[in-house]
Amino acid sequence: MTYFSDFYFTSNLTSFACPDFGSSQCVAPKACARDPTTGKGYCCDPSFDGETGSGVCWALTSDCTNDNRQLTCRSGSSDWCCLYETEECTGVPEQRNVCWNRERSPLRNISVDVLEDLYSSLTSDAPTARTWAFDPATLLPETSTSTSATTTTTAPPTATGTITTSPISSPNDDSSDSLSGGAIAGIVVGAVAGVAIVLGGAFFLIKRRRKRVNAGPKPPPAELGYETRPVNQLYEADGNAMKMPLPPQELPAR
């Protein structure tokens, strides 16, 4: 979430200036935005390396009314006024007629390269537009690991960007995982070996018992009974002997 709203890039059709900025330009990667509390327009800067005062949202001076709602700023012989509750005097030496919003620019957490790429893409898609709106929150994931997004040291920021970190696994975690895996593997191997031993022992006992049974004395084979029948005797189909006529016999000579 950002404090400001209505972010957009300017174009040459708006003289690269935010509303009520006169001749002061706000050129990409800077972008115009609005303070939702006061409705005042600002130019929000990203953070530029080595540039004093970058990473803020700034606006031109307000008309001085000499009351408690304004803050008087002074540089040399010049005086100007800023809004007391939401603004502060510029922190850039010798800079005049500029007020900083107390809420720092959300663009300071976004890479300048990402902002410039977005501006190039938007202008290519709609080259005749006066402004190009965007949401800075959608650009934060693209610059979470970028080294170009830095914070300003000239004024204490009141909001921080989202920083994503990757969990770091410790050596102890790795060792515990490996030991648990080894223990599981050992249990499985032991179980398989135990089953194999039991089955082998049972097979051995059964085989040994069969050998003992087969080694005992065997009864002699039963003798086959044979029926003694007369030789050259014919028999009926039911097994009864057939009555054959006696052969003729010679009578003794007289």
Side-chain angles (χ1 to χ4, degrees), residues 3-49:
Y3 173 78
F4 298 94
S5 62
D6 304 331
F7 282 86
Y8 62 89
F9 294 120
T10 59
S11 69
N12 58 341
L13 298 178
T14 62
S15 299
F16 297 103
C18 301
D20 302 325
F21 266 48
S23 60
S24 298
Q25 294 183 332
C26 185
V27 183
K30 302 177 183 179
C32 298
R34 183 176 63 86
D35 186 326
T37 303
T38 62
K40 186 176 180 179
Y42 289 85
C43 179
C44 292
D45 293 357
S47 290
F48 300 103
D49 293 339

Side-chain angles (χ1 to χ4, degrees), residues 170-238:
S170 63
N172 293 333
D173 294 339
D174 294 339
S175 62
S176 62
D177 292 340
S178 62
L179 288 176
S180 61
I184 293 174
I187 293 173
V188 173
V189 173
V192 173
V195 172
I197 292 174
V198 172
L199 294 177
F203 178 78
F204 176 78
L205 292 177
I206 293 173
K207 187 175 182 180
R208 184 176 180 182
R209 185 176 180 181
R210 288 180 177 177
K211 287 183 177 181
R212 289 181 177 179
V213 173
N214 296 333
K218 297 182 179 180
E223 296 181 359
L224 297 177
Y226 294 93
E227 182 178 359
T228 304
R229 295 182 179 182
V231 180
N232 297 327
Q233 179 65 52
L234 298 179
Y235 295 90
E236 299 287 346
D238 55 0

Side-chain angles (χ1 to χ4, degrees), residues 30-150:
K30 302 177 183 179
C32 298
R34 183 176 63 86
D35 186 326
T37 303
T38 62
K40 186 176 180 179
Y42 289 85
C43 179
C44 292
D45 293 357
S47 290
F48 300 103
D49 293 339
E51 182 175 326
T52 303
S54 64
V56 300
C57 291
W58 56 274
L60 300 182
T61 181
S62 303
D63 294 334
C64 293
T65 58
N66 297 322
D67 55 26
N68 293 332
R69 294 179 301 173
Q70 291 186 335
L71 174 67
T72 301
C73 301
R74 180 175 291 106
S75 178
S77 59
S78 299
D79 294 341
W80 68 94
C81 295
C82 297
L83 299 179
Y84 181 79
E85 294 182 353
T86 59
E87 294 179 339
E88 61 187 27
C89 301
T90 176
V92 178
E94 305 301 326
Q95 190 178 63
R96 296 176 175 84
N97 299 323
V98 172
C99 300
W100 288 359
N101 196 295
R102 295 183 186 275
E103 294 288 340
R104 294 300 180 242
S105 170
L107 302 187
R108 66 190 177 89
N109 296 318
I110 301 175
S111 167
V112 173
D113 293 337
V114 171
L115 290 169
E116 290 178 343
D117 290 343
L118 175 63
Y119 177 74
S120 176
S121 176
L122 292 175
T123 54
S124 297
D125 293 340
T128 60
R130 293 176 59 86
T131 60
W132 296 274
F134 67 96
D135 183 4
T138 61
L139 303 177
L140 290 175
E142 300 182 31
T143 57
S144 59
T145 57
S146 175
T147 58
S148 60
T150 58

